[in-house]
Amino acid sequence: MALAVDRHLAILAGISLSFVAVKALKRFIKKRQNNAPLSPGPVSLPLLGSVLSIDAYEPWLTYTEWGAAYGDLLFVRSLDEEMVVVNSQHIAEALLDKRSRIYSDRPYLATLVPYGLSINFSFIAYGDEWRLCRRLFHQTFRPESAAKFRPMQIKRAREIIVNLVDDPENYYNHFATFSLSVVMSAVYDYDISARDDPMVQTVIKALVPGLTLITPERALLLKTFPFLLKVPDWCWGSSIKRSARGSTERINQMADMPFRYVQQHMADGSLLARSSMVAENLRRMERQDEAFKPVFENGLKKAATTAIIASYETVTVGGSFMGLE
Ligand SMILES: *[C@@H]1O[C@H](CO)[C@@H](O)[C@H](O)[C@H]1NC(C)=O
């Protein structure tokens, strides 16, 4: 695997070596004090850990290989991230399902908040906010609700065939339109137009570059040098800050545009007869404590946007490999 580290990052990474080395040493000392043995795992290089040995596109192949050598529960360090790889369904169920109260969490990614991606609630740490988002999400997307979406899916399936025949060049947009239309209608009661819909364009603009920006190298850099987000625009090294700001703007637009659409339609009464995840919950919010309203609204916006992200990624992952950045 080749790590595509650009020149700025390489220089900054050089400066960061000493910081990380000090950290690694502290960690080592702490571990000795805890005396808790780690599971076996591959030998790790200083600073890099095992990042160079992990297949970046199909990491599970590497983990399976290591599983044969080190067992079903193995310890890996990748850059400064410490990971435990679970290679058996039995252990996964015992830890992640039966003891989910202890093990339900997400790793901290220093790029998440600066790049606006904390809107994706499946990235956020286990806690009250996560539970609220998860509950709102589940109300709309539980398995029993699937049948409700079928008429819309059939209608859109016909449309995508016509679009593919008419305009095969733009197949990427047609797939994005298809995968988003069902969820957009359930979440916002928004009817995507068959071609060039402005909301679909906002989603593509926000998500196609989004995931390629939050690389592990960048996360490590921001974790080590948080001041990189504060350097003035004219200063050397401000490219990370500027790309983070651009990403946050695009992602906020993707989250706000359809949300405002629902609020406006509710205000002028045109959505009264129809329902959607956002409209129903905004109505429910009316009856809540003033103090809880902003928390609830924020959770609702995250749950709604995460549904959009999920539907988009399920069908259209790979956009960044198709020259769309
Ligand atoms: C959202 O979070 C999930 C789970 O952590 C991840 O697989 C997905 O790629 C994320 N998508 C975006 C756009 O952040």
Side-chain angles (χ1 to χ4, degrees), residues 71-89:
D72 286 338
L73 200 62
L74 54 103
F75 177 81
V76 188
R77 209 165 55 74
S78 170
L79 298 176
D80 80 334
E81 214 57 69
E82 299 180 320
M83 307 190 289
V84 174
V85 176
V86 179
N87 256 332
S88 106
Q89 183 178 352

Side-chain angles (χ1 to χ4, degrees), residues 106 117 120 122-123 207 211 214 309 313:
R106 289 284 179 273
L117 279 169
N120 180 356
S122 46
F123 267 148
L207 294 186
L211 281 180
I214 54 164
I309 293 176
E313 281 182 346

Side-chain angles (χ1 to χ4, degrees), residues 70-147:
Y70 304 107
D72 286 338
L73 200 62
L74 54 103
F75 177 81
V76 188
R77 209 165 55 74
S78 170
L79 298 176
D80 80 334
E81 214 57 69
E82 299 180 320
M83 307 190 289
V84 174
V85 176
V86 179
N87 256 332
S88 106
Q89 183 178 352
H90 175 70
I91 301 182
E93 276 167 6
L95 296 180
L96 306 175
D97 191 13
K98 302 221 172 78
R99 273 168 264 184
S100 61
R101 278 201 175 269
I102 322 177
Y103 294 114
S104 290
D105 210 342
R106 289 284 179 273
Y108 167 75
L109 265 176
T111 30
L112 222 54
V113 172
Y115 281 85
L117 279 169
S118 53
I119 194 97
N120 180 356
F121 88 83
S122 46
F123 267 148
I124 64 183
Y126 187 71
D128 288 344
E129 187 185 26
W130 183 87
R131 272 197 299 269
L132 169 66
C133 292
R134 151 84 214 221
R135 180 160 54 79
L136 292 169
F137 193 88
H138 189 70
Q139 278 164 5
T140 308
F141 295 105
R142 53 178 188 265
E144 308 85 72
S145 312

Side-chain angles (χ1 to χ4, degrees), residues 136 139 279-288 296:
L136 292 169
Q139 278 164 5
E280 276 164 29
N281 281 300
L282 283 176
R283 255 174 244 137
R284 205 169 286 157
M285 191 174 85
E286 295 298 305
R287 297 188 297 270
Q288 276 160 355
F296 186 84

Side-chain angles (χ1 to χ4, degrees), residues 35-228:
N35 235 355
L38 295 166
S39 335
V43 183
S44 93
L45 296 172
L47 309 175
L48 292 173
S50 299
V51 71
L52 300 176
S53 331
I54 301 174
D55 184 326
Y57 296 106
E58 297 171 312
W60 52 90
L61 296 182
T62 314
Y63 300 150
T64 310
E65 242 171 64
W66 283 341
Y70 304 107
D72 286 338
L73 200 62
L74 54 103
F75 177 81
V76 188
R77 209 165 55 74
S78 170
L79 298 176
D80 80 334
E81 214 57 69
E82 299 180 320
M83 307 190 289
V84 174
V85 176
V86 179
N87 256 332
S88 106
Q89 183 178 352
H90 175 70
I91 301 182
E93 276 167 6
L95 296 180
L96 306 175
D97 191 13
K98 302 221 172 78
R99 273 168 264 184
S100 61
R101 278 201 175 269
I102 322 177
Y103 294 114
S104 290
D105 210 342
R106 289 284 179 273
Y108 167 75
L109 265 176
T111 30
L112 222 54
V113 172
Y115 281 85
L117 279 169
S118 53
I119 194 97
N120 180 356
F121 88 83
S122 46
F123 267 148
I124 64 183
Y126 187 71
D128 288 344
E129 187 185 26
W130 183 87
R131 272 197 299 269
L132 169 66
C133 292
R134 151 84 214 221
R135 180 160 54 79
L136 292 169
F137 193 88
H138 189 70
Q139 278 164 5
T140 308
F141 295 105
R142 53 178 188 265
E144 308 85 72
S145 312
K148 251 188 358 208
F149 304 140
R150 206 157 295 152
M152 172 63 88
Q153 281 168 320
I154 305 254
K155 173 174 165 242
R156 294 296 180 172
R158 295 199 175 109
E159 250 168 41
I160 191 178
I161 293 171
V162 175
N163 285 339
L164 285 171
V165 172
D166 265 12
D167 179 26
E169 290 280 291
N170 283 316
Y171 68 97
Y172 185 82
N173 281 316
H174 304 326
F175 281 116
T177 302
F178 176 73
S179 59
L180 285 169
S181 54
V182 176
V183 173
M184 283 267 188
S185 105
V187 173
Y188 306 106
D189 192 21
Y190 176 77
D191 205 11
I192 284 181
S193 50
R195 294 256 183 102
D196 303 324
D197 188 276
M199 299 242 198
V200 175
Q201 297 309 318
T202 340
V203 175
I204 295 178
K205 262 207 311 227
L207 294 186
V208 169
L211 281 180
T212 58
L213 290 174
I214 54 164
T215 59
E217 300 92 280
R218 242 174 239 196
L220 175 62
L221 209 63
L222 285 181
K223 202 163 157 187
T224 320
F225 299 120
F227 69 81
L228 283 174

